[in-house]
Amino acid sequence: MDGPEYFTAAHPTAAGGPGGPGGNGGGPGGTVGDGYDPYGADRPGNTRAFPLGDPYQQQPYYGQPPGPGHYDDGGYGQQPPYGQQPPPPYGGQEQQPPYGQDNVTVYRAGGQSAPHVSGPRPQWRELFVGIFRTPTAIFDRTRDHQVWLPALTVSLLYGVLAVLGIGLTHDDIVNSTFSVALTGLFAAAVGFTVAGAVFGAVTYALARQLGGDGPWKSTIGLAALIGWLTDAPRLLLDLVLPSGSAVVQAVGWATWMLCAYLLTSMVRRVHDLPWGKAAGAAAVQLVALLVLIKLPTLG
């Protein structure tokens, strides 16, 4: 029995042999004329050599150095030497990041402060004490909560206290009738409440213009609380001491500086801004408190 035809088929030989340049060219692998037939391997009785490995795998260009992690096998499909194989991924499968999470970074406005620590809304006593004792922690907790009711209550009380603490208005309220006094106290309470909301709105708008990302509800409420709570000690002293006394003057300037620090710290934590931008956002409210409220009452 004849063997398989890919063993018995004639192959191109030297000149003069079957299929060679000097042969008759009549064999299966024969050639005509120049000794090379590009289609001879496709004829019956011949075989074609196929390259090993993935024929569609991209190979580096000649003379181009291999990329990182690529073993240069010369383009012949050999495996890297023993001991140089890359370790298989854990579990036998390549770990890919979830869809949409590769090359993702969390952007925060300023990137200067520590991450916020969220928590439940602080109670009234915890809020008032925390503003002075642990301002950073309380501002972080209150960042995502509104403080409308505490801010409204403090603003109304501050308006009443401001009218009674200033010398001229104090005499007018005390020496007037009950209806006139009640009307004056109510108007002062509403006026200072509106003023506190306007100051807080300006601070919020400036913080957003400077790149802040905090909510407006907590910004306006905390700005009103800081502005009125820090000035309350001076007004209490005004009830028993003259406005021009050295003690009232010293307390007035000290509380204004405390207000500047707390207001800047609040903007920094709530809006995630560096100290410089936070001070710029709080500057308008601080100047308004000084010019419209502090200096007239201190004089």
Side-chain angles (χ1 to χ4, degrees), residues 78-168:
Q78 291 94 347
Q79 296 296 326
Y82 178 77
Q84 297 186 12
Q85 294 89 347
Y90 179 77
Q93 296 181 357
E94 184 178 359
Q95 301 295 326
Q96 297 290 343
Y99 177 75
Q101 296 184 9
D102 51 336
N103 300 326
V104 174
T105 57
V106 179
Y107 171 77
R108 301 179 67 236
Q112 301 293 327
S113 56
H116 300 289
V117 181
S118 60
R121 180 189 304 174
Q123 301 297 324
W124 284 41
R125 180 178 179 276
E126 188 179 5
L127 176 63
F128 295 158
V129 175
I131 288 178
F132 298 98
R133 294 187 61 181
T134 56
T136 299
I138 205 67
F139 293 151
D140 284 345
R141 287 185 54 186
T142 319
R143 182 182 189 272
D144 299 324
H145 301 290
Q146 54 85 16
V147 289
W148 292 126
L149 189 57
L152 178 62
T153 303
V154 171
S155 299
L156 293 174
L157 293 177
Y158 180 86
V160 175
L161 188 61
V163 172
L164 296 177
I166 300 174
L168 296 177

Side-chain angles (χ1 to χ4, degrees), residues 109 204 207-208 211-215 219 266-273:
Y204 166 77
R208 298 290 289 189
D213 59 353
T219 303
M266 183 272 295
V267 175
R268 175 177 175 264
R269 300 303 301 183
V270 173
H271 288 270
D272 189 21
L273 290 174

